[in-house]
């Protein structure tokens, strides 16, 4: 369950509990603000974790690109030294490193999109907290004006809290869309895994082509 989904449910539970106990609207708003501040702190932590995952994926992609380049150089050195088997193994490892680098880059793109969506939700939550903070004193004044009718006080308080919950229901729908997208990406990755198995069927030919190209390069260099 997402952070905003948990917050929406928590708000409803707390507001309904306060209403059932005939508490005043001010307490409802204060409780909503406490819940929102706690959710904001947790959401910031989640965004930070997602951003750190971005950095890790980028490092992995760079590392594998560097390894692919190094193995290509080693393959050339091995062939120049007369060891075709070593050259072939080095080319195979270079190809594996390239595949890994491409995989990490793909994950980085997905993760970056997730981070941006989380940041958007975090900014929306922060704006809602600021809005409720600014209206808190006004709501307190309106509550005092309406104290002549206790029943009307409770209904009015519920309406104000309900307005806050409506905003979070809208956020909840957006987050559900993010979760649907994540599930779709997982399905695509499963399909890609199958495609990768099919791709492996042609890896031997690709390796042979790479070896032939390397031989041509080495032999051409020797003739010059």
């Amino acid at each position: 369950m997402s952070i905003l989904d948990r917050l929406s449910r928590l708000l409803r539970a707390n507001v309904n509990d306060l209403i059932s106990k005939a508490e005043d609207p001010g307490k409802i708003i204060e409780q909503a603000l406490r819940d929102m501040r706690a959710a904001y702190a947790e959401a910031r932590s989640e965004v930070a974790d997602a951003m750190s995952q971005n950095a890790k994926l980028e490092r992995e992609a760079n590392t594998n690109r560097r390894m692919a380049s190094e193995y290509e150089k080693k393959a050339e050195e091995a062939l120049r030294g007369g060891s075709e088997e070593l050259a072939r193994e080095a080319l195979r490892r270079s190809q594996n490193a390239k595949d890994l680098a491409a995989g990490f880059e793909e994950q980085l793109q997905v993760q970056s999109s997730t981070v941006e969506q989380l940041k958007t939700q975090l900014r929306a939550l922060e704006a809602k907290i600021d809005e409720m903070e600014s209206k808190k004193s006004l709501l307190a004044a309106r509550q005092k004006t309406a104290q002549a009718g206790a029943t009307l006080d409770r209904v009015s308080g519920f309406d104000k809290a309900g307005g806050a919950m409506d905003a979070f229901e809208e956020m909840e729908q957006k987050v559900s869309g993010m979760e649907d997208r994540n599930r779709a990406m997982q399905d695509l990755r499963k399909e890609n895994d199958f495609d990768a198995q099919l791709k492996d069927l042609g890896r031997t030919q690709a390796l042979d082509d790479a070896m032939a190209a390397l031989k041509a390069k080495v032999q051409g260099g020797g003739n010059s």
Side-chain angles (χ1 to χ4, degrees), residues 71 75 86-99 203 207:
Y71 277 123
L86 282 178
R88 186 179 182 85
E89 176 62 19
L91 283 178
R92 186 187 67 79
R93 294 188 182 188
S94 175
Q95 195 169 11
N96 285 341
K98 288 178 181 178
D99 290 344
R203 288 176 65 84
L207 213 56

Side-chain angles (χ1 to χ4, degrees), residues 109-123:
Q109 291 177 359
V110 174
Q111 182 70 9
S112 295
S113 175
T114 299
V115 167
E116 288 307 312
Q117 291 171 340
L118 285 173
K119 285 182 178 179
T120 298
Q121 296 302 314
L122 188 63
R123 286 191 291 268

